[in-house]
């Protein structure tokens, strides 16, 4: 148990898998049909084949806003020595005059992973092309320039789902994360069948190439399987790390 505890503390951050879902905002004129709102997915998170936690991914709306929320929670046996309680929220302001129909307003990250804590917020001012980065733990507040169509990482994945993805082609991405604006390339690798609670489904395998906070981005490749239909439902995610791999597999949801 002590050996396993040491490996988990050094090589895993279960909650960070939610960051990987956010591939980023892909600027492309060929759009697929949109997903439905409300929508909610649930996932089992496994580390080297062992269930280590659960996560959710949900989108809702009001008259003026769209809210996306992801959560991650460690399994009871992991929480004994390495508790994970993560909550990430993205709030977008509806805007019918832009391609996606909404633009980022606030992005809030509250993470507890073992002894590690993060509490930060991005406040977007698209009207003046600025974003304010706030770190509540380190008492830091910085204003950065923001290019057009730059999303937070969580909201941008939903933009990705509205686009037409073609095998063998890549798309470039713009995302603000970790105090920087990133130009990310996203590869559409191949088609593949994946087993889900609703049976076997056809998927597209997508690989984002992104540097961001989180051990998964720094240590290994990330792969995302989305359904090969108009919904682009994320049914599986896998990230190779220094020891083994972390996988999130859909277990259910409302869609």
């Amino acid at each position: 148990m002590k050996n396993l505890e040491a490996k988990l503390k050094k090589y895993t951050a279960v909650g960070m898998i939610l960051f990987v879902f956010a591939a980023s905002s892909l600027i492309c004129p060929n759009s697929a049909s949109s997903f439905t709102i409300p929508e909610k997915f649930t996932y089992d998170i496994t580390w080297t084949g062992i269930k280590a936690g659960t996560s959710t991914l949900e989108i809702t709306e009001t008259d003026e806003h769209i809210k996306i929320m992801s959560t991650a929670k460690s399994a009871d046996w992991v929480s004994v020595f390495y508790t994970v309680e993560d909550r990430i929220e993205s709030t977008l302001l509806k805007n019918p005059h832009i391609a996606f129909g909404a633009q980022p307003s606030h992005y809030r990250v509250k993470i507890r992973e073992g002894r590690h804590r993060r509490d930060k917020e991005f406040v977007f001012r698209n009207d003046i092309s600025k974003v304010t980065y706030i770190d509540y733990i380190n008492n830091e507040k910085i204003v950065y320039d923001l290019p057009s169509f730059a999303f937070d990482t969580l909201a941008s994945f939903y933009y990705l789902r509205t686009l037409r993805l073609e095998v063998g082609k890549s798309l470039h991405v713009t995302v603000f994360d970790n105090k920087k604006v990133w130009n990310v390339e996203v590869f559409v690798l191949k088609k593949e069948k994946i087993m889900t609670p609703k049976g076997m489904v056809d998927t597209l395998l997508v690989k984002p190439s992104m540097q961001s906070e989180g051990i998964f981005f720094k240590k290994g490749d990330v792969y995302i399987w989305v359904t090969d239909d108009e919904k682009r439902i994320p049914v599986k995610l896998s990230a190779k790390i220094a020891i083994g791999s972390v996988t999130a597999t859909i277990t259910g949801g409302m869609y």
Side-chain angles (χ1 to χ4, degrees):
M1 179 63 72
K2 289 184 179 180
N3 185 43
L4 179 58
E5 176 182 353
K7 288 181 178 179
L8 280 171
K9 288 182 177 180
K10 186 174 183 181
Y11 293 111
T12 70
V14 174
M16 290 309 298
I17 203 163
L18 277 307
F19 282 108
V20 184
F21 275 119
S24 190
S25 57
L26 307 182
I27 309 306
C28 177
N30 298 320
S31 295
S33 299
S34 179
F35 47 86
T36 57
I37 304 176
E39 178 188 74
K40 183 176 182 179
F41 305 127
T42 58
Y43 300 85
D44 278 348
I45 299 176
T46 57
W47 173 69
T48 62
I50 304 171
K51 184 175 177 179
T54 57
S55 62
T56 65
L57 191 60
E58 181 177 11
I59 183 169
T60 58
E61 68 177 336
T62 64
D63 290 340
E64 297 183 353
H65 295 93
I66 293 174
K67 177 171 284 189
I68 306 168
M69 182 175 67
S70 69
T71 66
K73 182 176 177 60
S74 52
D76 291 344
W77 72 273
V78 176
S79 298
V80 171
F81 53 85
Y82 191 85
T83 300
V84 173
E85 293 179 348
D86 294 355
R87 183 184 181 95
I88 305 168
E89 293 186 6
S90 172
T91 301
L92 297 96
L93 180 66
K94 291 183 178 179
N95 184 346
H97 303 296
I98 63 175
F100 184 46
Q103 57 196 94
S105 175
H106 290 80
Y107 180 66
R108 186 68 182 267
V109 177
K110 298 189 75 172
I111 288 177
R112 175 191 178 190
E113 296 175 359
R115 295 181 181 179
H116 186 54
R117 301 287 192 277
R118 269 171 290 179
D119 186 355
K120 64 181 183 180
E121 183 177 15
F122 306 163
V123 180
F124 291 85
R125 285 292 307 276
N126 296 279
D127 55 332
I128 58 174
S129 299
K130 301 287 185 181
V131 58
T132 301
Y133 172 93
I134 305 170
D135 186 329
Y136 292 102
I137 293 178
N138 296 314
N139 195 28
E140 184 178 25
K141 184 176 182 180
I142 308 173
V143 178
Y144 295 93
D145 292 329
L146 187 72
S148 299
F149 289 99
F151 280 57
D152 63 71
T153 53
L154 187 56
S156 61
F157 175 70
Y158 284 80
Y159 187 30
L160 167 65
R161 291 176 60 196
T162 70
L163 304 179
R164 184 175 302 157
L165 306 177
E166 298 182 51
V167 173
K169 295 187 177 181
S170 64
L171 299 166
H172 284 84
V173 173
T174 304
V175 58
F176 179 81
D177 186 44
N178 199 25
K179 303 182 182 181
K180 292 183 180 180
V181 175
W182 301 93
N183 184 28
V184 181
E185 189 169 14
V186 178
F187 302 91
V188 185
L189 299 179
K190 63 179 180 178
K191 296 188 177 186
E192 189 171 334
K193 290 185 179 294
I194 295 291
M195 179 58 72
T196 74
K198 294 189 176 184
M200 193 73 72
V201 298
D202 294 318
T203 69
L204 291 168
L205 177 57
V206 177
K207 179 180 179 295
S209 176
M210 182 176 178
Q211 294 181 1
S212 179
E213 64 180 345
I215 197 166
F216 296 134
F217 290 116
K218 295 178 180 178
K219 296 295 184 181
D221 293 330
V222 173
Y223 297 92
I224 305 170
W225 287 261
V226 296
T227 54
D228 188 11
D229 58 16
E230 70 279 0
K231 291 186 178 181
R232 297 284 191 257
I233 296 171
V235 296
K236 182 180 176 181
L237 181 146
S238 181
K240 294 187 180 299
I241 56 176
I243 293 181
S245 62
V246 175
T247 300
T249 305
I250 196 167
T251 56
M254 179 180 64
Y255 52 89

